[in-house]
Amino acid sequence: MRNIAIFASGTGSNARKIIEYFKQSPEVRVALVVSNKKDAGVLDIAQEHGIPTRIINRQTFYESEEILDVLRIHHIDVVVLAGFLWLVPPYLVRAFPRRMVNIHPALLPRHGGKGMYGIHVHEAVKSAGDSETGITIHFVNEHYDEGDFVFQERCAVDPEDSPSDIARKVLQLEHRYFPEVIAQVVASLPQNA
Ligand code: GAR
């Protein structure tokens, strides 16, 4: 059994899909949900499914390595960022080399970086006049929205689409693909590591 931790800051619709996808899995368990917001929807979803949760605060996250102990206690193999909006500190990146993935709601390297999250991304796609957008799932490094790509999928942007229309299309792709891409990342871990 491999254990994954989901880090999320918001509504948690991706987290819900991931939790549901692995619910019956004999190979992968969502063993922990971590959030930087104590009222994040994702915490309710985790509790509904009996998954342990942890709330982190900025000072402890950036100035200590306490979260590493938490991840060790829960035997976490892979960390999944599903709408987690804080930059991951170097000590945590180093602890999960090619074992931490993020999803970004655009075709990186377009429309990434600090401040580029949620609707801001779709507004940028709209104002750039892009004819397509999509999702990027990538390994996490020490910079926002960088790191080797694991997967991309695209969708068309129609001229009349508003940023929220674009958001809806992109979220559908996220829900459709993110759980199975996570399953592939977990399946490709070395056997005895
Ligand atoms: C998702 O669209 C995800 O791609 C985005 O936050 C949303 C979270 O939605 N992440 C970023 O923008 C990261 N830069 P959810 O809470 O409903 O899963």
Side-chain angles (χ1 to χ4, degrees):
M1 182 63 90
R2 298 291 195 165
N3 292 314
I4 67 177
I6 301 175
F7 282 45
S9 305
T11 326
S13 72
N14 278 285
R16 180 186 289 285
K17 291 288 174 190
I18 297 163
I19 289 166
E20 287 168 356
Y21 183 90
F22 291 114
K23 192 78 189 165
Q24 309 297 334
S25 169
E27 279 137 27
V28 180
R29 170 172 46 214
V30 179
L32 180 69
V33 169
V34 175
S35 183
N36 57 308
K37 290 210 180 130
K38 62 177 185 322
D39 55 355
V42 69
L43 297 170
D44 300 329
I45 298 167
Q47 273 149 22
E48 258 173 52
H49 287 84
I51 298 168
T53 58
R54 180 82 180 198
I55 295 160
I56 52 173
N57 73 61
R58 191 173 276 280
Q59 192 178 4
T60 313
F61 191 56
Y62 288 105
E63 292 175 17
S64 80
E65 299 189 359
E66 194 183 284
I67 193 68
L68 288 185
D69 294 329
V70 178
L71 296 172
R72 267 186 220 115
I73 288 165
H74 291 275
H75 305 287
I76 299 302
D77 298 292
V78 169
V79 172
V80 172
L81 310 184
F84 182 67
L85 303 182
W86 285 0
L87 186 63
V88 178
Y91 73 82
L92 185 50
V93 173
R94 280 196 298 269
F96 287 86
R98 298 180 83 82
R99 288 164 176 263
M100 188 182 312
V101 290
N102 177 47
I103 191 161
H104 186 76
L107 295 171
L108 291 173
R110 287 184 73 67
H111 311 303
K114 192 168 165 53
M116 287 306 257
Y117 58 89
I119 198 71
H120 303 297
V121 176
H122 309 303
E123 282 164 358
V125 167
K126 175 83 187 164
S127 46
D130 293 356
S131 60
E132 60 174 13
T133 186
I135 60 172
T136 305
I137 299 167
H138 62 94
F139 290 118
V140 174
N141 70 14
E142 293 169 17
H143 308 279
Y144 278 110
D145 303 322
E146 287 185 15
D148 290 349
F149 294 176
V150 180
F151 178 86
Q152 285 191 311
E153 179 66 3
R154 27 195 94 229
C155 61
V157 177
D158 299 324
E160 62 275 15
D161 281 346
S162 67
S164 46
D165 294 328
I166 300 171
R168 215 167 10 253
K169 289 182 181 176
V170 170
L171 199 61
Q172 270 177 9
L173 291 182
E174 298 193 33
H175 293 168
R176 161 83 180 77
Y177 290 105
F178 200 15
E180 38 185 83
V181 172
I182 294 165
Q184 285 162 19
V185 168
V186 173
S188 67
L189 292 177
Q191 281 305 319
N192 51 2

